Amino acid sequence: AEEKYRNIFENAIEGIFQSTSDGRFISVNPGMARMYGYESPQEMIQKVINISSQLYVEPEMRNDLLHRLEAGEKITDFESLDYRKDRSTFWTSMNIQAILDANGNILHYEGTVEDITNRKMAQKVLLESEERYRALLNGMLDGIYRSSHNGRFLDVNPAMIKMFGYDSKDEMLALDIK
Protein backbone atom coordinates (compact mmCIF):
# COMPACT_ATOMS: atom_id res chain seq x y z
CA ALA A 1 0.00 0.00 0.00
CA GLU A 2 2.84 2.39 0.84
CA GLU A 3 4.50 1.68 -2.51
CA LYS A 4 1.23 2.30 -4.40
CA TYR A 5 0.68 5.58 -2.53
CA ARG A 6 4.27 6.69 -3.19
CA ASN A 7 3.89 5.88 -6.91
CA ILE A 8 0.68 7.94 -7.17
CA PHE A 9 2.27 10.82 -5.21
CA GLU A 10 5.45 10.84 -7.31
CA ASN A 11 3.78 10.51 -10.72
CA ALA A 12 0.62 12.59 -10.39
CA ILE A 13 0.28 15.46 -12.83
CA GLU A 14 -1.64 17.50 -10.26
CA GLY A 15 0.14 19.05 -7.34
CA ILE A 16 -0.23 17.21 -4.04
CA PHE A 17 0.85 18.87 -0.80
CA GLN A 18 0.78 19.00 2.96
CA SER A 19 1.29 22.34 4.69
CA THR A 20 1.38 23.84 8.15
CA SER A 21 -0.94 26.56 9.44
CA ASP A 22 2.05 28.93 9.69
CA GLY A 23 2.62 28.76 5.92
CA ARG A 24 5.30 26.17 5.23
CA PHE A 25 5.15 22.99 3.20
CA ILE A 26 5.65 19.65 4.89
CA SER A 27 5.63 17.80 1.58
CA VAL A 28 4.97 18.48 -2.10
CA ASN A 29 5.04 16.07 -4.99
CA PRO A 30 7.15 16.54 -8.15
CA GLY A 31 4.05 17.66 -10.11
CA MET A 32 3.50 20.54 -7.71
CA ALA A 33 7.15 21.56 -7.74
CA ARG A 34 7.13 21.62 -11.58
CA MET A 35 3.84 23.55 -11.65
CA TYR A 36 5.34 26.30 -9.48
CA GLY A 37 8.67 26.33 -11.34
CA TYR A 38 10.89 24.59 -8.78
CA GLU A 39 13.53 22.03 -9.75
CA SER A 40 12.44 19.56 -7.08
CA PRO A 41 10.03 19.10 -4.21
CA GLN A 42 12.93 19.61 -1.80
CA GLU A 43 13.75 23.00 -3.32
CA MET A 44 10.12 24.13 -3.04
CA ILE A 45 9.88 22.97 0.58
CA GLN A 46 13.12 24.79 1.48
CA LYS A 47 12.46 28.04 -0.40
CA VAL A 48 8.76 28.59 0.26
CA ILE A 49 8.74 29.75 3.86
CA ASN A 50 5.55 31.85 3.63
CA ILE A 51 2.91 30.35 1.35
CA SER A 52 0.65 33.42 1.62
CA SER A 53 3.16 35.96 0.38
CA GLN A 54 5.25 33.75 -1.90
CA LEU A 55 2.53 31.90 -3.78
CA TYR A 56 -0.68 33.93 -3.60
CA VAL A 57 -1.01 37.08 -5.70
CA GLU A 58 -3.64 38.07 -3.10
CA PRO A 59 -2.11 36.83 0.19
CA GLU A 60 -5.32 37.42 2.18
CA MET A 61 -6.92 34.57 0.22
CA ARG A 62 -4.88 32.05 2.23
CA ASN A 63 -6.11 33.60 5.47
CA ASP A 64 -9.68 33.21 4.24
CA LEU A 65 -8.92 29.58 3.38
CA LEU A 66 -7.48 28.91 6.82
CA HIS A 67 -10.53 30.40 8.57
CA ARG A 68 -12.83 28.21 6.51
CA LEU A 69 -10.70 25.14 7.22
CA GLU A 70 -10.62 25.91 10.94
CA ALA A 71 -14.42 26.02 10.85
CA GLY A 72 -14.39 22.44 9.55
CA GLU A 73 -15.04 23.12 5.88
CA LYS A 74 -13.50 20.93 3.18
CA ILE A 75 -12.74 23.24 0.30
CA THR A 76 -13.12 22.21 -3.33
CA ASP A 77 -12.44 24.08 -6.56
CA PHE A 78 -10.91 27.11 -4.83
CA GLU A 79 -9.49 29.27 -7.62
CA SER A 80 -6.63 31.69 -7.14
CA LEU A 81 -4.02 33.54 -9.12
CA ASP A 82 -0.64 32.28 -7.92
CA TYR A 83 3.03 33.12 -8.38
CA ARG A 84 5.59 30.75 -9.78
CA LYS A 85 9.16 30.80 -8.51
CA ASP A 86 10.07 33.38 -11.21
CA ARG A 87 7.08 35.56 -10.10
CA SER A 88 5.12 34.92 -13.29
CA THR A 89 1.47 34.25 -12.55
CA PHE A 90 -0.89 31.41 -13.34
CA TRP A 91 -4.35 30.27 -12.26
CA THR A 92 -4.89 27.32 -9.95
CA SER A 93 -7.79 25.34 -8.56
CA MET A 94 -7.28 23.77 -5.15
CA ASN A 95 -9.00 21.11 -3.06
CA ILE A 96 -7.89 21.23 0.56
CA GLN A 97 -8.85 19.89 3.96
CA ALA A 98 -7.58 20.06 7.52
CA ILE A 99 -6.13 16.89 9.02
CA LEU A 100 -7.09 16.54 12.67
CA ASP A 101 -5.67 14.62 15.62
CA ALA A 102 -7.79 12.41 17.88
CA ASN A 103 -8.85 15.47 19.91
CA GLY A 104 -9.99 17.45 16.87
CA ASN A 105 -6.96 19.75 16.74
CA ILE A 106 -5.54 20.66 13.34
CA LEU A 107 -2.29 18.81 12.62
CA HIS A 108 -1.78 20.18 9.10
CA TYR A 109 -3.54 20.75 5.79
CA GLU A 110 -3.40 18.61 2.70
CA GLY A 111 -4.74 18.94 -0.75
CA THR A 112 -4.31 19.00 -4.48
CA VAL A 113 -3.64 21.82 -6.92
CA GLU A 114 -4.37 21.96 -10.65
CA ASP A 115 -3.11 24.52 -13.16
CA ILE A 116 -6.27 25.97 -14.77
CA THR A 117 -4.64 28.82 -16.69
CA ASN A 118 -5.77 27.50 -20.09
CA ARG A 119 -9.36 27.16 -18.87
CA LYS A 120 -9.34 30.70 -17.44
CA MET A 121 -7.93 32.07 -20.70
CA ALA A 122 -10.64 30.26 -22.70
CA GLN A 123 -13.32 31.69 -20.36
CA LYS A 124 -11.89 35.17 -20.88
CA VAL A 125 -11.91 34.79 -24.68
CA LEU A 126 -15.50 33.52 -24.57
CA LEU A 127 -16.62 36.40 -22.35
CA GLU A 128 -14.96 38.94 -24.66
CA SER A 129 -16.65 37.32 -27.67
CA GLU A 130 -20.03 37.45 -25.94
CA GLU A 131 -19.48 41.12 -25.09
CA ARG A 132 -18.63 41.92 -28.73
CA TYR A 133 -21.73 40.01 -29.90
CA ARG A 134 -23.93 41.85 -27.40
CA ALA A 135 -22.49 45.25 -28.42
CA LEU A 136 -23.03 44.47 -32.11
CA LEU A 137 -26.56 43.17 -31.55
CA ASN A 138 -27.57 46.12 -29.38
CA GLY A 139 -26.04 48.64 -31.78
CA MET A 140 -27.86 47.43 -34.89
CA LEU A 141 -30.60 49.69 -36.26
CA ASP A 142 -32.43 46.71 -37.78
CA GLY A 143 -34.64 44.58 -35.57
CA ILE A 144 -32.88 41.31 -34.86
CA TYR A 145 -34.10 38.31 -32.91
CA ARG A 146 -33.15 34.75 -32.14
CA SER A 147 -35.86 32.15 -31.60
CA SER A 148 -36.21 28.55 -30.53
CA HIS A 149 -37.43 25.79 -32.82
CA ASN A 150 -40.87 26.02 -31.17
CA GLY A 151 -41.29 29.74 -31.83
CA ARG A 152 -40.20 31.37 -28.57
CA PHE A 153 -38.04 34.49 -28.63
CA LEU A 154 -34.65 33.74 -27.08
CA ASP A 155 -33.09 37.15 -27.67
CA VAL A 156 -34.12 40.47 -29.20
CA ASN A 157 -32.20 43.66 -29.73
CA PRO A 158 -33.40 47.17 -28.71
CA ALA A 159 -34.35 48.02 -32.31
CA MET A 160 -36.68 45.00 -32.42
CA ILE A 161 -38.31 46.00 -29.14
CA LYS A 162 -38.85 49.56 -30.40
CA MET A 163 -40.09 48.34 -33.80
CA PHE A 164 -42.88 46.32 -32.16
CA GLY A 165 -43.68 48.99 -29.58
CA TYR A 166 -42.81 47.08 -26.44
CA ASP A 167 -41.27 48.63 -23.33
CA SER A 168 -38.81 45.91 -22.41
CA LYS A 169 -36.93 42.89 -23.63
CA ASP A 170 -38.71 40.74 -21.04
CA GLU A 171 -42.08 41.56 -22.60
CA MET A 172 -40.91 40.33 -25.99
CA LEU A 173 -39.21 37.24 -24.60
CA ALA A 174 -42.57 36.23 -23.10
CA LEU A 175 -44.19 36.15 -26.57
CA ASP A 176 -44.79 33.18 -28.80
CA ILE A 177 -44.02 34.12 -32.43
CA LYS A 178 -45.92 31.24 -34.09
Side-chain angles (χ1 to χ4, degrees), residues 123-143:
Q123 288 172 341
K124 181 181 178 198
V125 168
L126 180 60
L127 181 62
E128 289 169 352
S129 175
E130 289 171 351
E131 288 171 354
R132 284 192 305 274
Y133 162 77
R134 184 68 43 207
L136 179 63
L137 181 69
N138 290 339
M140 297 292 291
L141 298 177
D142 294 328

Side-chain angles (χ1 to χ4, degrees), residues 91 115-123:
W91 283 97
D115 181 343
I116 60 166
T117 304
N118 290 339
R119 181 172 76 199
K120 294 294 270 188
M121 288 173 37
Q123 288 172 341

Side-chain angles (χ1 to χ4, degrees), residues 73-176:
E73 188 176 344
K74 290 184 179 185
I75 299 171
T76 59
D77 302 319
F78 182 84
E79 295 182 1
S80 68
L81 187 61
D82 290 359
Y83 288 119
R84 288 191 173 92
K85 178 183 172 184
D86 66 5
R87 299 303 275 180
S88 63
T89 59
F90 70 113
W91 283 97
T92 63
S93 177
M94 182 187 314
N95 300 313
I96 185 171
Q97 65 182 352
I99 304 302
L100 309 175
D101 66 14
N103 297 321
N105 300 312
I106 296 175
L107 294 172
H108 60 271
Y109 306 104
E110 64 182 27
T112 60
V113 179
E114 178 184 3
D115 181 343
I116 60 166
T117 304
N118 290 339
R119 181 172 76 199
K120 294 294 270 188
M121 288 173 37
Q123 288 172 341
K124 181 181 178 198
V125 168
L126 180 60
L127 181 62
E128 289 169 352
S129 175
E130 289 171 351
E131 288 171 354
R132 284 192 305 274
Y133 162 77
R134 184 68 43 207
L136 179 63
L137 181 69
N138 290 339
M140 297 292 291
L141 298 177
D142 294 328
I144 299 173
Y145 70 93
R146 202 169 46 91
S147 66
S148 68
H149 68 283
N150 62 356
R152 301 291 298 177
F153 281 120
L154 298 174
D155 200 3
V156 293
N157 72 341
M160 184 81 167
I161 297 165
K162 184 177 179 182
M163 185 183 303
F164 282 88
Y166 287 95
D167 294 322
S168 73
K169 182 177 183 174
D170 290 337
E171 283 182 278
M172 286 206 68
L173 294 180
L175 296 175
D176 188 338

Side-chain angles (χ1 to χ4, degrees), residues 38-56:
Y38 291 88
E39 295 294 320
S40 68
Q42 295 76 18
E43 180 191 17
M44 187 170 186
I45 291 167
Q46 289 171 352
K47 294 199 173 178
V48 177
I49 58 172
N50 186 324
I51 293 171
S52 293
S53 65
Q54 288 179 266
L55 299 187
Y56 287 86

